[in-house]
Amino acid sequence: MTTVAEAQQFILAHARSFGTESVPLAAALGRVLAQPVIADRDYPPFDRATMDGYAVQSADFQHNAEVSLRLLERIHAGDTGTQIVETGTCSKIMTGAPVPSGADAVVRVEDTQLEGDQVRFTMTSVRGGQNIARRGEDAHQNDLLLNDNLLITPQAASVLAVTGHADVVVARLPTVGIVSTGNEVIPLGAPVLPHQIRDSNAWALRGFFATCQITDVTATLAADDKAALRDTVAGLLEQKDIVVLSGGVSKGDADYVPEVLQSLGVRQVFHRVRIKPGGPLWFGVTAGGKAVFGLPGNPVSVQVAC
């Protein structure tokens, strides 16, 4: 009998791509990236202030004495400076703003006092590059930022957004057909007789696929009748990438699923797994690579096998 680990290996060995599609970035979270993401420019694209403060020339602070500099202008994030910072001058700058020409350091505002158009600095040592994120410090243009076959996390979504990907090429998700078999199974919402049960397996399976963001799912019922079951499964095999049946895979007189699947050209990969409940689990593939699962009908067995 097949072990759980072996069953998983057999299933994964038959996994295949379903192609790719382009989706809006808003719908890409949790999907699998199908293209590498390349930096479209340097990041940051300019020398950027990392503190609210004053852009200065560090050379003005070489004498270990208190320094006072003339204020030229104020630069907010989203603006660009219009003045060149020269010896004896400075520009007020906000976090995220481009460092103006001539300046090679930013002194945080907490270490200064503004007195008219003069800025007095209460610290005497400033090094070049202080509180500046240099252009290209994070990435250079044409650098690889994200590999393909990557699950799109919130962090990856941030990278996609900053590089301008309003639409993202992702791995296409499979379409799924679910068949709940059994004369006793009725659809949710229908009147139920004492000897009947409502179909809960399809809803468990839908929920499982939804956790993988697979929502193109069709669910139907099939009675314990070979011809009717065959017609139902044949139609789904034409339309869907994956077909999952619940019930009809054990040794009962009306357990027709393995026989019907074989008649439709589905090749059995394994039948019965060393697991309890859920032991009669069946897995096979079509000549075109479509995956077919036969799960036992007991609701707990379905969930364990699934």
Side-chain angles (χ1 to χ4, degrees):
M1 188 181 293
T2 306
T3 68
V4 171
E6 290 169 340
Q8 290 173 330
Q9 290 173 358
F10 285 136
I11 292 168
L12 291 175
H14 289 87
R16 66 183 181 90
S17 169
F18 301 102
T20 63
E21 62 180 345
S22 180
V23 301
L25 179 56
L29 194 67
R31 300 290 296 271
V32 175
L33 188 64
Q35 62 177 20
V37 174
I38 307 299
D40 60 323
R41 58 178 181 167
D42 290 343
Y43 288 96
F46 50 81
D47 289 350
R48 175 173 55 84
T50 63
M51 291 278 185
D52 295 327
Y54 293 89
V56 301
Q57 287 194 356
S58 59
D60 281 332
F61 296 81
Q62 299 301 311
H63 305 295
N64 293 321
E66 188 174 282
V67 173
S68 182
L69 303 175
R70 181 169 60 88
L71 179 62
L72 297 174
E73 60 179 342
R74 289 172 172 81
I75 308 170
H76 293 268
D79 295 337
T80 56
T82 61
Q83 305 290 317
I84 298 174
V85 174
E86 298 174 333
T87 297
T89 66
C90 65
S91 290
K92 191 168 188 179
I93 192 166
M94 311 305 163
T95 302
V99 176
S101 297
D104 69 343
V106 172
V107 177
R108 63 178 190 163
V109 71
E110 293 90 336
D111 295 322
T112 66
Q113 290 183 356
L114 179 61
E115 300 168 349
D117 67 346
Q118 294 291 311
V119 181
R120 184 166 63 86
F121 292 82
T122 58
M123 39 88 73
T124 58
S125 176
V126 175
R127 55 180 174 76
Q130 180 173 305
N131 297 324
I132 295 176
R134 293 296 186 186
R135 174 176 177 169
E137 184 177 288
D138 296 330
H140 292 289
Q141 186 176 15
N142 297 322
D143 279 355
L144 175 66
L145 301 182
L146 297 174
N147 286 304
D148 56 356
N149 293 321
L150 176 81
L151 188 70
I152 299 176
T153 61
Q155 293 84 357
S158 174
V159 174
L160 288 162
V162 81
T163 50
H165 289 79
D167 296 293
V168 187
V169 178
V170 297
R172 188 177 73 80
L173 295 169
T175 58
V176 178
I178 297 171
V179 184
S180 299
T181 71
N183 294 337
E184 77 282 15
V185 182
I186 63 170
L188 185 64
V192 59
L193 298 175
H195 63 283
Q196 296 176 324
I197 59 172
R198 299 181 182 92
D199 179 21
S200 63
N201 288 340
W203 295 98
L205 292 167
R206 281 182 182 274
F208 170 81
F209 285 111
T211 63
C212 302
Q213 297 195 342
I214 299 169
T215 56
D216 189 343
V217 178
T218 300
T220 188
L221 300 179
D224 291 325
D225 177 86
K226 287 183 185 180
L229 181 60
R230 191 180 193 281
D231 289 345
T232 298
V233 176
L236 290 175
L237 286 174
E238 289 182 1
Q239 304 166 19
K240 302 295 183 178
D241 299 311
I242 297 172
V243 175
V244 184
L245 300 96
S246 67
V249 292
S250 193
K251 294 183 178 295
D253 290 348
D255 287 342
Y256 301 132
V257 167
E259 179 184 344
V260 166
L261 292 176
Q262 183 178 8
S263 73
L264 291 170
V266 183
R267 178 177 62 84
Q268 176 182 309
V269 176
F270 63 78
H271 186 192
R272 310 192 80 76
V273 176
R274 192 174 296 134
I275 187 172
K276 193 173 184 177
L281 176 62
W282 191 100
F283 172 67
V285 291
T286 68
K290 294 189 176 185
V292 182
F293 297 88
L295 281 56
N298 177 276
V300 178
S301 297
V302 163
Q303 294 170 39
V304 171
C306 191

